[in-house]
Amino acid sequence: MKLLYSIHKYDVFMFTWLINTRAHTALTQTSRYLSKTGDGSLYLLIAGFLFCYEGIESPLLHAVLLAFLIERPVYFILKNGLKRNRPEAALQNFHSIITPSDQFSFPSGHTSAAFMMATLLGYYFPALLIPLYCWATAVGCSRVVLGVHFPTDILVGLLLGISVALFSLGQI
């Protein structure tokens, strides 16, 4: 329990530091847009595109579907099993910039899905891997800037997304 308390204390320190930086206000609007790219519509569009142009036999489409069939239940079990409060509920006198879609914060589903898709797409299109990981990192960071996640929520989302993607590709 001492380790979890230490991690939480560090998380709160990093979160508070970021929220109080001068750059926070400037990042807010950009973060809203970045966060929306991780809402899920883009993933459906990619799956639809793959289905239309490559058909049901698309290896990438298979990997994407398998990954989401694994990632969403694992994410749901972790989030609702661990029940870590979001910053607004955990910190006094703090209000997030957006209203999250659910109550708990750990892990970040936006980050998990973004890194999962970045890994899957990067596997099939290696030249895009670095820009895709930059986008996924920006999605994760946007969630902290918007005040709905702590930094470790993002870190665990990253690990979950990449792990599930590699599993669905048969790499682990």
Side-chain angles (χ1 to χ4, degrees), residues 10-21:
Y10 172 77
D11 235 6
V12 169
F13 171 78
M14 291 300 296
F15 178 83
T16 305
W17 175 83
L18 176 67
I19 295 300
N20 291 322
T21 62

Side-chain angles (χ1 to χ4, degrees), residues 77-90:
I77 289 167
L78 286 171
K79 185 164 275 208
N80 291 296
L82 297 172
K83 297 182 179 182
R84 181 181 194 189
N85 284 328
R86 290 188 181 272
E88 188 169 54

Side-chain angles (χ1 to χ4, degrees), residues 40-59:
S41 301
L42 181 61
Y43 312 136
L44 288 172
L45 187 66
I46 291 169
F49 178 82
L50 288 169
F51 180 75
C52 287
Y53 289 97
E54 294 187 12
I56 195 69
E57 298 302 319
S58 167

Side-chain angles (χ1 to χ4, degrees), residues 146-161:
L146 294 172
V148 292
H149 283 288
F150 289 108
T152 53
D153 302 340
I154 306 309
L155 180 61
V156 173
L158 174 151
L159 294 172
L160 175 61

Side-chain angles (χ1 to χ4, degrees), residues 19-98:
I19 295 300
N20 291 322
T21 62
R22 288 183 185 179
H24 182 260
T25 304
L27 291 173
T28 300
Q29 194 61 31
T30 303
S31 292
R32 285 178 188 266
Y33 294 116
L34 284 167
S35 180
K36 284 188 182 294
T37 66
D39 282 352
S41 301
L42 181 61
Y43 312 136
L44 288 172
L45 187 66
I46 291 169
F49 178 82
L50 288 169
F51 180 75
C52 287
Y53 289 97
E54 294 187 12
I56 195 69
E57 298 302 319
S58 167
L60 177 53
L61 180 59
H62 286 190
V64 167
L65 294 175
L66 176 60
F68 272 108
L69 284 172
I70 296 168
E71 187 269 346
R72 285 291 96 178
V74 170
Y75 151 79
F76 184 79
I77 289 167
L78 286 171
K79 185 164 275 208
N80 291 296
L82 297 172
K83 297 182 179 182
R84 181 181 194 189
N85 284 328
R86 290 188 181 272
E88 188 169 54
L91 304 174
Q92 287 184 342
N93 300 320
F94 175 76
H95 299 287
S96 60
I97 294 169
I98 62 171

Side-chain angles (χ1 to χ4, degrees), residues 42-44 46-47 50 60 64 67-68 111-123 132-133 135-136 161-162 165:
L42 181 61
Y43 312 136
L44 288 172
I46 291 169
L50 288 169
L60 177 53
V64 167
F68 272 108
T111 307
S112 178
F115 272 96
M116 186 178 72
M117 285 300 290
T119 302
L120 292 168
L121 291 169
Y123 180 81
L132 287 166
Y133 274 168
W135 163 76
I162 291 174

